[in-house]
């Protein structure tokens, strides 16, 4: 078992063996979470603060539950409503929180790199719960766990990521993770929703969805933000659904046992057909939510172990 | 006053040779080669074979008076300039409020006169409050001493307003500085689009936005016949348009900031906001193309684009952080990287730092000839230097070169024959 990180700021700094370590431990937590008695004590005595500078229901709930199941004291701070409005800078907020001796800080922020900046200023473990258009590491890890459990492996798979890749931190973290684990990644979407310099990402790019889905093992759909639908990036919702919405016909080009994923929340009838989303033989969307709690428990457990080890070393040194 | 044993860097003739230089009453009166050293009785300064060059004429310095004096005052900017071998600062009008009236210009001129040990000339806004709606009082501002007009990084989207302002400026013979950038494309961008910005999830602008802005501005220069200077050309794809404009006989010149010549987009790695400048740092291919254009004379001027920002405005998430970097003191050592890499000769470098900006503004500085003002910089091009931002003279310490290993050190700076920096 290897995991040497102090923070979980992105997938980029992780070694493939560290990814495997998180997923292996998460498998244990999946078992725990399915028992009637769901309590562990890996985080007992530790304080976890969830700081969400951007609205979130699902991710915040998932982190909160993960912390509580492992015995942490969990506090949620709705940052949108608080000090930011009073003009406090991110760093001041971080220093204020730091003075309360948290052990785990879970942060979501609308700007890329903001969580990295915050991590430099605090002496606890920081988990990135999504920063701007940069990374969303726990989402990529839960997707990886879902794929590994459904396909029995996490390498040499053909995986199509479809939709609004340009604005998606989920896509970035997934591209990096799946690349590190030696899969073939395809990106499918209209050119207006693909990031610049995409050719240098080590991926294959398709603007035709049927071609892009041909013989893939995994179809990963992304949410199309409402504010992108107004004609700025795509002509209309219905044209988008016609060309890039996942329906049975388009899915038929993928392998017969291909799984369908979506990070949620879904826009049924925009990027995905409702029937596909609910098809228990193809869709693993509910499993993704379940894996999310387990992966977050594993990540926080591993970071807490490193945090405790670092503190003991410091005490011995002192 | 006699400088002896000096390695004279003359951008006008392209010569770089040992010799002497005589200064009387603040003006260069004679120079010669090492073989015919005069026997002088007055003050003699032995340069010990170090380089003596015309002082830097820095086109586009921001001093934060009025409005943000805690970031940079004329006193601190003046000290920084002197320490950096900058003998003439041409200040930008992007202060708060903007320098768009003769009264505001008189205020900064008075402040500069009182506090800065180097020459200071001022640019004024082309449009009121740099808003691109109504032209400023260009005539009155010229009477008050404005040497050029610019809205700095505010691009006037309304071409009707801009052509009128340019026509009016043309009728007065004014020089206008333009910022080539397509404003629609570049809105909100903090990085240059490409793999790097995409991986970092930063809002980015295509480098082509610079060419689109340049093409538009060149068309308006052709319409109006105004004398124009592009403040920063930073991309390879903009260069052919600039070359055509010059070949077609338009009265245009172009500059580039020291940061775009010596840094690239990868330097932002880790969201380092001290590397956030405007326009954003470019790809390495663009940097190389711009260095080549400078060597070929297509780009005329190197400037510091000195932009002081305090810690509060930089210690923020990258998108929210302020743009700009201080550079008066690092301009020469950083520019010497281009000499050490073999891209430029020393006289070639000083053509871009001193002679060309002086010529463009109609100044007699920037030369080592009898009759020119004794604005001089004495420097050791090889002395190693690890930059410590805490030691900068500027009030703001936002340099991207903190901790950088540079080669080249200013030993002394003279303005009108008076030593304003150094112990010689």
């Amino acid at each position: 078992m290897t995991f040497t990180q102090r923070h979980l700021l992105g997938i980029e700094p992780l070694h493939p063996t560290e990814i495997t370590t998180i997923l292996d431990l998460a498998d244990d937590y999946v078992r725990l979470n399915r028992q009637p008695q769901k309590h562990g004590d890996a985080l007992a005595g530790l304080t976890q603060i969830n700081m969400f500078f951007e609205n979130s229901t699902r991710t915040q709930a998932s982190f909160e539950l993960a912390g509580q199941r492992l015995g942490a004291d969990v506090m949620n701070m709705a940052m949108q409503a608080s000090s930011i409005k009073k003009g406090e800078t991110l760093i001041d907020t971080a220093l204020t929180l730091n003075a309360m001796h948290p052990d785990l800080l879970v942060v979501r922020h609308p700007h890329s790199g903001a969580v990295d900046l915050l991590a430099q200023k605090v002496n606890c473990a920081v988990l990135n719960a999504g920063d701007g258009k940069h990374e969303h590491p726990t989402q990529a890890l839960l997707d990886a766990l879902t794929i590994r459990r459904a396909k029995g492996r996490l390498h040499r798979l053909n995986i199509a990521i479809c939709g609004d890749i340009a604005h998606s931190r989920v896509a970035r973290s997934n591209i990096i993770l799946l690349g590190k684990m030696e899969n073939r990644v395809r990106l499918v979407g209209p050119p207006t929703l693909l990031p610049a310099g995409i050719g240098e990402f080590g991926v294959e790019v398709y603007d035709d969805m049927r071609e892009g889905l041909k013989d893939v093992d995994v179809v990963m759909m992304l949410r199309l933000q409402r504010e992108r639908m107004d004609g700025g990036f795509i002509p209309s919702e219905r044209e988008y659904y016609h060309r890039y919405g996942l329906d049975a016909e388009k899915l038929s080009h993928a392998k017969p046992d291909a799984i369908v994923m979506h990070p949620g929340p879904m826009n049924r009838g925009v990027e995905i057909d409702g029937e596909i989303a609910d098809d228990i033989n193809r869709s693993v969307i509910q499993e993704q939510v379940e894996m999310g709690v387990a992966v977050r428990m594993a990540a926080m457990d591993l970071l807490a172990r490193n945090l405790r080890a670092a503190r003991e070393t410091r005490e011995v040194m002192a | 006053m006699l400088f002896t044993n000096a390695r004279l860097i003359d951008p006008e003739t392209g010569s770089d040779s040992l010799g002497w230089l005589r200064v009387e009453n603040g003006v260069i009166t004679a120079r010669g080669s090492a073989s015919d050293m005069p026997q002088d009785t007055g003050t003699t300064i032995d340069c010990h074979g170090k380089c003596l060059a015309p002082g830097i004429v820095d086109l586009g310095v921001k001093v934060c008076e009025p409005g943000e004096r805690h970031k940079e005052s004329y006193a601190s900017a003046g000290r920084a300039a002197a320490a950096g071998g900058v003998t003439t600062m041409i200040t930008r009008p992007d202060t708060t409020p903007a320098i768009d009236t003769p009264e505001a210009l008189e205020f900064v001129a008075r402040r500069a006169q009182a506090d800065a040990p180097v020459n200071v000339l001022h640019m004024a806004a082309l449009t009121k409050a740099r808003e691109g709606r109504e032209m400023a009082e260009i005539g009155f501002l010229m009477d008050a001493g404005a040497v050029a007009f610019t809205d700095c990084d505010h691009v006037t989207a309304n071409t009707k307003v801009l052509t009128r302002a340019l026509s009016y400026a043309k009728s007065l013979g004014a020089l206008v500085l333009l910022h080539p950038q397509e404003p629609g494309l570049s809105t909100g961008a903090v990085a240059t689009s490409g793999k790097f910005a995409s991986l970092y999830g930063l809002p980015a602008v295509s480098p082509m936005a610079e060419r689109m802005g340049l093409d538009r501005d060149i068309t308006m220069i052709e319409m109006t016949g105004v004398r124009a200077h592009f403040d920063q050309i930073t991309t390879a794809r903009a260069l052919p348009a600039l070359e055509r404009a010059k070949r077609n006989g338009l009265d245009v010149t172009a500059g580039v900031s020291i940061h775009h010549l010596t840094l690239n987009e990868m330097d932002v790695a880790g969201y380092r906001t001290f590397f956030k400048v405007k326009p954003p740092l470019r790809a390495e291919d663009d940097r190389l193309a711009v260095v080549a254009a400078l060597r070929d004379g297509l780009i005329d001027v190197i400037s510091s684009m000195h932009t002081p920002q305090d810690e509060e405005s930089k210690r923020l998430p990258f998108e929210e952080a302020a743009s700009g970097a201080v550079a008066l003191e690092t301009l020469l050592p950083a520019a010497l990287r281009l000499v050490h890499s073999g891209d430029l000769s020393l006289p070639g470098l000083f053509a871009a730092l001193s002679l060309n900006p002086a010529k463009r503004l109609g100044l007699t500085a920037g030369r080592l000839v009898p009759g020119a003002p004794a604005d001089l910089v004495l420097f050791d091009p090889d002395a190693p230097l690890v930059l410590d931002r805490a030691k900068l003279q500027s009030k703001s310490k936002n340099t991207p070169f903190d901790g950088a290993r540079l080669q080249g050190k200013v030993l002394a700076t003279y303005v009108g024959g008076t030593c304003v920096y150094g112990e010689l």
Side-chain angles (χ1 to χ4, degrees), chain B residues 290-319:
Chain B
V290 169
V291 169
L294 183 70
R295 185 181 54 227
D296 300 341
L298 179 58
I299 290 179
D300 309 89
V301 171
I302 303 174
S303 58
S304 69
M305 283 293 149
H306 183 79
T307 305
Q309 299 290 3
D310 55 14
E311 304 287 304
E312 284 67 37
S313 49
K314 280 287 188 185
R315 298 280 185 221
L316 291 170
F318 199 85
E319 282 169 59

Side-chain angles (χ1 to χ4, degrees), chain B residues 221-235:
Chain B
I221 292 164
E222 195 174 329
M223 276 169 75
T224 58
V226 72
R227 298 166 56 217
H229 175 80
F230 292 106
D231 63 351
Q232 301 183 68
I233 299 290
T234 60
T235 59

Side-chain angles (χ1 to χ4, degrees), chain A residues 6-302:
Chain A
R6 204 183 141 204
H7 305 296
L8 182 64
L9 299 177
I11 297 298
E12 182 63 43
L14 298 182
H15 190 272
T17 59
E18 292 180 309
I19 293 170
T20 306
T21 299
I22 300 174
L23 300 186
D24 290 349
L25 183 58
D27 268 329
D28 294 345
Y29 283 127
V30 173
R31 277 191 290 278
L32 176 71
N33 289 339
R34 287 180 179 175
Q35 290 167 13
Q37 163 55 261
K38 299 179 176 62
H39 277 283
D41 59 0
L43 303 180
L46 300 184
T47 302
Q48 172 193 340
I49 300 183
N50 297 333
M51 287 171 82
F52 280 65
F53 293 89
E54 202 180 69
N55 269 331
S56 161
T57 314
R58 308 158 61 99
T59 307
Q60 186 171 336
S62 182
F63 268 109
E64 188 175 354
L65 202 54
Q68 284 178 351
R69 287 204 176 146
L70 292 180
D73 296 316
V74 186
M75 184 175 83
N76 288 316
M77 293 185 69
M79 299 310 295
Q80 280 188 311
S82 74
S83 43
I84 281 271
K85 293 250 162 73
K86 296 175 194 157
E88 190 177 54
T89 67
L90 180 63
I91 287 177
D92 283 335
T93 308
L95 293 176
T96 306
L97 274 181
N98 198 42
M100 300 180 194
H101 298 289
D103 304 288
L104 295 156
L105 210 51
V106 178
V107 187
R108 170 170 287 189
H109 197 281
H111 287 148
S112 304
V115 183
D116 295 55
L117 178 66
L118 203 139
Q120 293 164 18
K121 304 290 166 188
V122 296
N123 45 26
C124 61
V126 177
L127 288 101
N128 182 357
D131 64 322
K133 295 182 285 172
H134 179 219
E135 282 228 44
H136 190 355
T138 54
Q139 178 70 43
L141 288 164
L142 76 87
D143 288 341
L145 185 62
T146 309
I147 295 170
R148 197 173 79 167
R149 290 171 69 101
K151 291 285 156 193
R153 66 176 199 270
L154 188 59
H155 55 91
R156 280 186 286 125
L157 293 167
N158 284 311
I159 298 166
I161 305 177
C162 312
D164 183 3
I165 291 148
H167 302 97
S168 173
R169 53 196 174 212
V170 174
R172 273 171 190 71
S173 287
N174 266 315
I175 292 167
I176 299 167
L177 188 149
L178 296 170
K180 276 185 198 266
M181 304 312 281
E182 298 180 5
N183 296 284
R184 284 180 71 173
V185 177
R186 301 178 184 182
L187 304 182
V188 182
T192 47
L193 295 177
L194 293 174
I198 193 82
E200 298 165 57
F201 276 60
V203 294
E204 296 162 48
V205 182
Y206 294 86
D207 53 21
D208 182 296
M209 194 160 182
R210 288 172 186 85
E211 278 175 41
L213 293 192
K214 191 161 169 33
D215 296 331
V216 298
D217 300 289
V218 177
V219 182
M220 209 180 257
M221 301 305 299
L222 296 171
R223 174 181 167 76
L224 184 71
Q225 305 283 338
R226 286 267 159 203
E227 59 265 31
R228 318 262 184 241
M229 299 177 194
D230 61 358
F233 289 87
I234 52 163
S236 69
E237 211 174 296
R238 61 181 192 176
E239 180 161 332
Y240 185 79
Y241 180 65
H242 176 69
R243 296 195 61 208
Y244 297 102
L246 186 67
D247 55 20
E249 192 278 319
K250 293 195 193 86
L251 183 59
S252 70
H253 295 262
K255 280 193 186 157
D257 62 346
I259 55 168
V260 174
M261 307 176 73
H262 193 296
M266 280 182 281
N267 297 306
R268 289 170 189 260
V270 179
E271 70 254 358
I272 191 164
D273 177 67
E275 276 182 36
I276 299 279
D278 297 332
D279 180 352
I280 52 164
N281 295 315
R282 308 303 293 272
S283 163
V284 293
I285 295 169
Q286 297 308 316
E287 279 87 339
Q288 285 176 276
V289 178
E290 182 189 359
M291 296 308 124
V293 179
V295 149
R296 287 168 182 129
M297 289 164 80
M300 290 197 288
D301 180 356
L302 290 165

Side-chain angles (χ1 to χ4, degrees), chain B residues 59 69 84 104 124 144 159 161 185 203 245 283 300 332 411 413:
Chain B
L59 183 52
R69 205 169 152 186
T159 46
V161 171
L185 272 180
D300 309 89
L332 182 56
L411 302 172
T413 306

Side-chain angles (χ1 to χ4, degrees), chain B residues 155-157 159 162 178-187 193 205-221 230 232-242 244 282:
Chain B
V155 176
T156 297
T159 46
L162 188 56
L178 296 165
H179 182 71
Q181 196 67 225
E182 208 295 309
L185 272 180
S186 55
T187 303
S193 65
V205 58
S206 165
M208 295 295 265
E210 180 172 296
R211 180 172 117 190
M212 290 169 74
L214 184 71
D215 279 334
R216 183 197 80 155
D217 289 356
I218 286 172
T219 310
M220 283 190 287
I221 292 164
F230 292 106
Q232 301 183 68
I233 299 290
T234 60
T235 59
R237 304 291 276 275
L239 295 169
L242 178 65
R244 264 196 315 278
R282 304 302 194 184

Side-chain angles (χ1 to χ4, degrees), chain B residues 134-400:
Chain B
E134 302 162 62
M135 68 178 90
E137 293 172 315
I138 298 173
F140 279 159
L141 283 159
M142 285 181 84
D143 294 344
V147 293
F149 293 84
T150 180
D151 284 344
C152 302
D153 59 344
H154 286 190
V155 176
T156 297
N158 186 330
T159 46
K160 209 171 242 174
V161 171
L162 188 56
T163 36
R164 285 180 189 144
L166 295 181
S167 302
Y168 194 85
K170 151 77 180 166
S171 71
L172 293 165
L175 176 69
V176 172
L177 265 73
L178 296 165
H179 182 71
Q181 196 67 225
E182 208 295 309
L185 272 180
S186 55
T187 303
V190 299
T192 302
S193 65
K195 182 191 177 191
F196 182 80
S198 290
L199 272 180
Y200 271 78
L202 293 172
V205 58
S206 165
M208 295 295 265
E210 180 172 296
R211 180 172 117 190
M212 290 169 74
L214 184 71
D215 279 334
R216 183 197 80 155
D217 289 356
I218 286 172
T219 310
M220 283 190 287
I221 292 164
E222 195 174 329
M223 276 169 75
T224 58
V226 72
R227 298 166 56 217
H229 175 80
F230 292 106
D231 63 351
Q232 301 183 68
I233 299 290
T234 60
T235 59
R237 304 291 276 275
L239 295 169
L242 178 65
E243 201 271 327
R244 264 196 315 278
K246 285 190 162 187
R247 187 156 26 90
N248 291 344
L250 300 186
D251 191 354
V252 291
T253 48
V256 61
S257 91
I258 186 60
H259 301 115
H260 292 91
L261 283 173
T262 52
L263 304 169
N264 68 29
E265 58 180 354
M266 311 285 259
D267 286 302
V268 173
Y271 300 101
R272 294 193 291 173
T273 56
F274 280 23
F275 290 81
K276 182 178 177 183
V277 294
K278 216 169 171 185
L281 291 174
R282 304 302 194 184
E284 179 64 4
D285 288 348
D286 282 321
R287 188 191 72 85
L288 292 172
V290 169
V291 169
L294 183 70
R295 185 181 54 227
D296 300 341
L298 179 58
I299 290 179
D300 309 89
V301 171
I302 303 174
S303 58
S304 69
M305 283 293 149
H306 183 79
T307 305
Q309 299 290 3
D310 55 14
E311 304 287 304
E312 284 67 37
S313 49
K314 280 287 188 185
R315 298 280 185 221
L316 291 170
F318 199 85
E319 282 169 59
E320 293 173 47
S323 294
V326 291
L328 281 166
E329 283 158 271
T330 47
L331 175 56
L332 182 56
L336 283 167
R337 278 187 175 176
L338 303 173
V339 174
H340 295 304
S341 64
D343 289 307
L344 286 180
S345 66
L346 274 172
L349 176 63
F350 276 87
L353 286 173
S354 308
L355 178 65
N356 294 343
K359 277 205 298 205
R360 193 57 173 148
L361 292 161
L363 310 175
T364 52
R367 300 163 174 87
L368 283 188
V369 293
D375 295 347
L376 302 165
V377 54
L378 180 66
F379 65 98
D380 180 345
D382 302 314
L385 165 75
V386 178
L387 192 90
D388 175 2
R389 71 189 190 105
K391 291 188 179 146
L392 293 177
Q393 298 290 330
S394 283
K395 281 191 188 176
S396 295
K397 314 292 184 192
N398 56 311
T399 172

